[in-house]
């Protein structure tokens, strides 16, 4: 699949750029500019998801003599690879991405926990790392970069140094994109207004999805708690039916009642165990298909918010501040300067300002594309809602069947008017008959 983003790998806002007037020689490592408007993204959600599917699983054994650490098995469908990585490998990879793609949405890593990492924390971090690497593997520029292939397929020793070398070998994306010096030409005239509107919209979407995720997590937690309660409920009924305490003599008149009750109670634990299993399965399914997809989308939205903050920190107002500082320092200098020296300083300062302005426009250029990428992910909402509804329908259907199968076993627990077993009748709708 050919990428529809047209930048290549690469560091920081301070990276140099060749003067605009000097044409850069053709480089096989640089992508050629395709026809049409390179600002537009034409990928669908299905195409993005089809780029790769990366699994991140815990390696059971731990290594290390004194300080134990967790290893992950990372397998890529696209590269047909399976490698082992530590958390610190992800950290170096993350740094390499920020170095090469400072103007793109680089998802955040889960926090590192030094001491007391329990199973729950380790599992949550594994899930977060899986979301991170899949967002990266499906991102158009990232997916075509050598550093990603290195991380997903290099199985030799010292992968961290390999990642650093790969990131530092060339400049950042701005240095390697042929459109960098002309990014302004592709931007709409009201780009600043559009940027502000997009940022506000994404912020609102993020806040709403954050609340949806929190509620989905609570529903999953309730399903798991319900499963545990149903299992204990059935076990207590079974324990009651298995009670071997002798029947006291003064209750001997009703000995047959207690015996039949115990026999019925003892057999109910099977259905309640099945109900517990169904509830647990529903909770697990909704955790994987609903909560995790919500978290994936939230991670993407958060990376967009982070990108907006990086843009503002390195935007034109910062460059203007640098210019004012330079002019102020020149004005306050007491050392006499020749006309040639002064002109040389002015040219140097203007070159720095021009580079900063070009980077600012290229940052807006990338933001425009990243905004389109976020919107390409929006149909994920229908996937999430569909998974949630299907899980609820299937879960209630399966549990309803078990409850219905349970009813015949309750007949001997109820005594009708003529000492015949009779289960309670369900409540009738409408007015009572007289």
């Amino acid at each position: 699949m050919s990428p529809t983003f047209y930048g290549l790998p690469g560091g920081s806002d301070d990276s140099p750029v060749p003067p605009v007037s000097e044409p850069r020689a053709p480089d096989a490592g640089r992508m050629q500019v395709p026809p049409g408007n390179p600002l537009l993204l034409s990928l669908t959600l299905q195409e993005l998801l089809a780029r790769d599917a990366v699994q991140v699983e815990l390696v059971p054994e731990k290594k290390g003599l004194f300080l134990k650490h967790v290893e992950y098995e990372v397998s890529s469908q696209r590269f047909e690879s399976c490698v082992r990585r530590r958390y610190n490998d992800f950290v170096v990879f993350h740094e390499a991405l920020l170095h090469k793609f400072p103007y793109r949405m680089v998802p955040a890593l889960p926090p590192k926990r030094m001491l007391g990492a329990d199973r729950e924390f380790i599992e949550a971090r594994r899930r977060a790392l899986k979301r991170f690497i899949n967002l990266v593997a499906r991102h158009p520029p990232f997916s075509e970069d050598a550093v990603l292939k290195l991380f997903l397929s290099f199985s030799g020793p010292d992968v961290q140094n390999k990642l650093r070398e790969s990131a530092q070998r060339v400049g950042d994306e701005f240095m390697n994109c042929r459109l960098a010096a002309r990014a302004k030409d592709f931007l709409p005239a009201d780009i600043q207004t559009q940027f502000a509107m997009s940022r506000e919209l994404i912020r609102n979407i993020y806040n709403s999805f954050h609340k949806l995720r929190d509620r989905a997590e609570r529903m999953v937690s309730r399903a798991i708690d319900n499963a545990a309660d149903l299992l204990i409920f059935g076990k207590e009924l079974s324990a009651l039916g298995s009670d071997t305490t002798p029947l006291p003599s003064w209750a001997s008149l009703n000995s047959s009642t207690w015996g039949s009750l115990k026999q019925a109670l003892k057999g109910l634990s099977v259905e309640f165990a099945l109900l517990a299993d169904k509830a647990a399965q529903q909770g697990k399914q909704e955790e994987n298909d609903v909560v995790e997809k919500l978290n994936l989308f939230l991670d993407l939205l958060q990376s967009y918010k982070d990108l907006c903050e990086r843009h503002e920190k390195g935007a034109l107002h910062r460059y203007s501040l640098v210019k004012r500082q330079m002019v102020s320092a020149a004005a306050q200098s007491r050392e006499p300067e020749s006309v040639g020296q002064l002109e040389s300083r002015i040219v140097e300062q203007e070159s720095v300002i021009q580079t900063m302005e070009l980077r600012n426009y290229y940052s807006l250029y990338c933001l425009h594309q990243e905004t389109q990428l976020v919107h390409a992910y929006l149909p994920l909402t229908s996937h999430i809602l569909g998974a949630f509804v299907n899980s609820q329908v299937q879960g209630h259907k399966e549990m309803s069947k078990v409850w219905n199968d349970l009813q015949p076993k309750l007949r001997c627990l109820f005594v009708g008017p003529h000492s015949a077993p009779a289960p309670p009748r369900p409540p009738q709708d409408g007015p009572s008959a007289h």
Side-chain angles (χ1 to χ4, degrees):
M1 184 182 299
S2 59
T4 49
F5 282 92
Y6 307 105
L8 270 187
S12 65
D13 286 341
D14 300 324
S15 300
V17 61
V20 181
S21 58
E22 297 182 13
R24 286 178 280 187
D27 187 343
R30 294 194 180 108
M31 299 177 65
Q32 299 297 321
V33 180
N37 188 349
L39 189 63
L40 300 180
L41 169 69
S42 58
L43 289 172
T44 64
L45 175 62
Q46 287 72 23
E47 290 171 332
L48 287 170
L49 297 179
R51 281 177 171 261
D52 202 354
V54 185
Q55 300 299 323
V56 178
E57 302 295 341
L58 286 170
V59 177
E61 68 273 13
K62 294 183 179 181
K63 295 182 178 180
L65 185 59
F66 299 105
L67 182 62
K68 304 295 183 181
H69 63 262
V70 178
E71 277 194 324
Y72 304 93
E73 193 172 76
V74 182
S75 55
S76 165
Q77 188 177 79
R78 174 189 176 191
F79 295 109
E80 298 181 346
S81 59
C82 184
V83 293
R84 289 194 176 187
R85 295 289 181 257
R86 294 176 56 184
Y87 176 80
N88 286 339
D89 298 333
F90 280 91
V91 172
V92 174
F93 176 57
H94 183 263
E95 292 171 351
L97 287 174
L98 283 174
H99 174 79
K100 300 184 79 172
F101 299 97
Y103 309 119
R104 301 290 183 182
M105 293 186 297
V106 179
L109 285 176
K112 184 174 184 178
R113 188 172 177 178
M114 296 299 296
L115 299 174
D118 54 18
R119 287 186 179 180
E120 184 177 354
F121 171 81
I122 293 174
E123 172 60 17
R125 191 169 69 176
R126 182 198 66 81
R127 288 176 176 270
L129 291 174
K130 180 181 177 181
R131 297 194 301 268
F132 162 79
I133 193 59
N134 275 285
L135 285 174
V136 169
R138 294 163 181 168
H139 190 285
F142 302 166
S143 65
E144 301 303 321
D145 191 73
V147 74
L148 174 69
K149 183 177 181 180
L150 179 64
F151 182 80
L152 289 177
S153 60
F154 180 74
S155 58
D158 206 7
V159 66
Q160 295 183 18
N161 279 336
K162 292 289 184 181
L163 290 168
R164 292 189 183 99
E165 290 172 4
S166 176
Q168 295 171 1
R169 189 175 299 124
V170 294
D172 66 1
E173 182 183 10
F174 175 78
M175 292 290 295
N176 292 277
C177 179
R178 292 187 176 279
L179 296 180
R182 298 192 295 122
K184 183 181 179 181
D185 299 337
F186 299 99
L187 296 174
D190 60 342
I191 183 61
Q192 295 293 349
T193 301
Q194 289 195 30
F195 166 61
M197 292 173 61
S198 295
R199 188 175 188 180
E200 180 65 21
L201 175 61
I202 298 303
R203 183 187 294 115
N204 293 338
I205 293 175
Y206 176 87
N207 291 337
S208 293
F209 270 83
H210 196 280
K211 293 175 182 176
L212 289 173
R213 191 278 313 275
D214 289 348
R215 294 298 160 177
E217 283 184 335
R218 291 183 62 179
M219 285 186 278
V220 168
S221 180
R222 284 200 297 270
I224 294 173
D225 288 343
N226 185 39
D229 289 339
L230 285 168
L231 187 61
I232 294 174
F233 194 92
K235 287 182 177 179
E236 289 302 322
L237 289 177
S238 178
L240 189 60
S242 302
D243 186 89
T244 57
T245 305
L247 191 69
S249 57
W250 53 269
S252 58
L253 293 176
N254 297 315
S255 60
S256 60
T257 301
W258 176 234
S260 59
L261 280 173
K262 286 206 308 179
Q263 188 65 28
L265 293 173
K266 189 174 181 180
L268 296 181
S269 62
V270 175
E271 277 73 19
F272 278 94
L274 188 56
L275 287 168
D277 184 59
K278 298 293 184 186
Q281 286 181 14
Q282 181 178 342
K284 190 67 175 177
Q285 181 177 352
E286 290 178 6
E287 184 177 34
N288 292 330
D289 297 342
V290 180
V291 174
E292 273 305 291
K293 284 187 174 64
L294 285 169
N295 278 326
L296 178 79
F297 192 48
L298 283 172
D299 289 348
L300 179 73
L301 296 176
Q302 182 61 56
S303 67
Y304 183 87
K305 293 171 63 180
D306 294 341
L307 177 61
C308 290
E309 291 182 7
R310 287 203 303 275
H311 169 75
E312 287 196 336
K313 288 180 181 178
L316 200 55
H317 72 274
R318 178 180 145 207
Y319 308 148
S320 299
L321 178 61
V322 173
K323 184 175 182 179
R324 289 197 298 269
Q325 289 173 345
M326 289 180 174
V327 173
S328 175
Q332 294 176 4
S333 176
R334 296 181 179 180
E335 297 181 3
E337 290 183 313
S338 66
V339 174
Q341 288 176 326
L342 193 58
E343 288 180 347
S344 177
R345 288 188 60 186
I346 291 174
V347 170
E348 181 182 349
Q349 291 169 8
E350 289 299 328
S351 177
V352 172
I353 298 302
Q354 184 185 36
T355 300
M356 291 180 173
E357 289 177 346
L358 288 175
R359 281 187 171 273
N360 180 67
Y361 286 121
Y362 188 70
S363 177
L364 286 169
Y365 174 91
C366 293
L367 259 170
H368 196 299
Q369 291 182 328
E370 299 300 272
T371 302
Q372 296 175 68
L373 183 59
V374 170
H375 284 267
Y377 267 96
L378 276 174
L380 191 64
T381 306
S382 61
H383 293 216
I384 296 169
L385 291 176
F388 176 62
V389 171
N390 289 339
S391 174
Q392 289 289 323
V393 170
Q394 186 66 23
H396 286 296
K397 180 180 178 181
E398 292 180 359
M399 292 188 71
S400 177
K401 183 180 183 306
V402 180
W403 285 116
N404 286 328
D405 292 342
L406 189 60
Q407 275 189 322
K409 292 192 173 185
L410 304 181
R411 290 174 182 168
C412 59
L413 298 177
F414 307 100
V415 179
H418 305 290
S419 299
R425 299 179 61 185
Q428 299 293 325
D429 295 331
S432 303
H434 295 287

